[in-house]
Amino acid sequence: MNNVVISGTGLYTPPFSISNEELIVCFNSYVQQFNTEHAAAIVAGEVVALEESSVGFIEKASGIKSRYVVEKTGVLDPNRMVPHIPERSDDEPSIMCDMAVAAAQQALARAGRTASDVDAVIVACSNMQRAYPAIAVEVQTALGIDGYGYDMNVACSSATFGIQAAVSAIQSGQARAVLVINPEITSGHLNWRDRDSHFIFGDACTAILLERADSATSKHRFEIVGLKLKTQFSNNIRNNFGFLNRADESGIGKPDKLFKQQGRKVFKEVCPMAAATITDTVQKADLTIEQINRFWLHQANLNMNLLITRMMLGRDAAPEESPTILDTYANTSSAGSIIAFHTHQDDLPAGAHGVICSFGAGYSIGCVVVKKL
Ligand code: CO8
């Protein structure tokens, strides 16, 4: 079987950033407006008054200071709190395709490859903007790749599960090189009016080029030396948006058609699962956890990452051992661990080992052990 390397990565960062301060001004103005409009019903006990959000809570509970979005005026309008993303005609490239192409071109350039070297495109993310045709096929055509493409969704673990699919295709000889691309427009399916989660997410797109190790020439090669996927069903992170919604009018407009979670339960249940999965995958790669120079962890919550590394190492990880990008990007779902990998890899010497690990809805955990060549 062919050995496989990650030979290049790319990152598209949307043009707009929203600070916690900006977000709170909008959220609290919405709360004040709601409570004023429903004052009589609140006093009568018929409606529960909404509580304000705060910058201090967000930073302490999550470590998030700002997030990028594809459009911010709609999000920050208290009467709207949804991004303005105009529908495009069928003859124009979709917005997800545009983001994917930008990230993919960077990954190809970093790997020293062109479209003619690639046989497949996997677009893997939490939400596709349409059911079909697959975004991946549109991206494949936009990049000029003669091969095949398909979409897949494993929520926050879409990128690592996509890496596994690419590795299998390259190992078996089905493809020479595969692009795995993660366009996350989380701002479109976040409930910006929900105090518990309005601050959590941001938009971004990452791309990863994987290819046969024996023909890769990039300076940025990471060999895949271990890989494990794990899933366990949970309702604690859920989004009930889907094509059957229109078949029951009573559900239209309910908040469960957007992201919802039991954040505290997720925290408690996912941290030990992630720590155990990483430890097991590292051991199966004939390594010890102490031999891992870098942990590119899923970027949902700073306290989660501190706890997971402490559980594995028996001590606090140094900031450079477990890089943080969620402070400026927030949780970009499947793109998070790949943004950390993309932005914090160039200082590693040949022979260094690292772990890319995602965790999220499903539950789903994807762990990839790599060696810098
Ligand atoms: N401002 C002020 N106070 C608040 C706020 C707020 N915004 N929100 C809650 N509080 C208060 C609560 O009322 C509570 O008060 P009290 O103690 O009086 O009851 C107190 O703060 C503590 O509340 P919590 O217990 O909820 O707070 P936590 O410390 O647990 O922090 C977090 C909440 C940040 C949500 C934390 O639990 C967390 O990060 N959990 C993990 C979440 C996670 O990793 N989720 C993964 C989801 S991502 C994924 O799988 C991809 C899905 C697909 C993408 C969807 C895109 C939209």
Side-chain angles (χ1 to χ4, degrees), residues 52-54 57-58 61-62 126 155-156 186 189-190 195-196 198-201 237 259 261 263-264 266-267 298 300-301 304 331 333 359-361:
E52 294 192 358
S53 187
S54 80
F57 172 81
I58 295 173
S62 69
S126 291
C156 285
T186 65
H189 46 109
L190 175 59
R195 180 173 179 255
D196 290 344
H198 75 108
F199 55 89
I200 290 181
F201 289 100
I237 313 169
F259 170 86
Q261 73 165 354
R264 192 43 78 92
V266 174
F267 195 113
H298 178 52
N301 180 302
M304 276 178 114
N331 181 347
S333 195
F359 35 88

Side-chain angles (χ1 to χ4, degrees), residues 263-334:
R264 192 43 78 92
K265 281 192 189 162
V266 174
F267 195 113
K268 281 195 184 144
E269 291 172 8
V270 167
C271 289
M273 273 176 77
T277 306
I278 296 172
T279 305
D280 185 47
T281 318
V282 165
Q283 279 169 1
K284 289 210 167 84
D286 288 329
L287 294 165
T288 63
I289 210 75
E290 289 74 26
Q291 287 175 287
I292 301 301
N293 305 89
R294 192 145 299 169
F295 297 92
W296 298 286
L297 300 184
H298 178 52
Q299 302 282 315
N301 180 302
L302 182 58
N303 299 324
M304 276 178 114
N305 289 3
L306 293 174
L307 178 58
I308 290 167
T309 45
R310 203 176 295 138
M311 283 171 138
M312 293 184 303
L313 297 167
R315 61 170 172 82
D316 287 339
E320 61 276 14
E321 277 181 286
S322 173
T324 299
I325 60 94
L326 62 83
D327 50 348
T328 49
Y329 279 85
N331 181 347
T332 52
S333 195
S334 67

Side-chain angles (χ1 to χ4, degrees), residues 38-84:
H38 296 85
I42 290 169
V43 171
E46 291 155 8
V47 170
V48 178
L50 298 182
E51 288 180 76
E52 294 192 358
S53 187
S54 80
V55 172
F57 172 81
I58 295 173
E59 293 195 9
K60 187 163 165 282
S62 69
I64 295 164
K65 294 180 178 149
S66 57
R67 69 283 297 143
Y68 291 96
V69 287
V70 297
E71 201 283 326
K72 72 187 267 188
T73 61
V75 171
L76 293 181
D77 174 355
N79 295 311
R80 180 178 168 93
M81 297 172 84
V82 177
H84 284 286

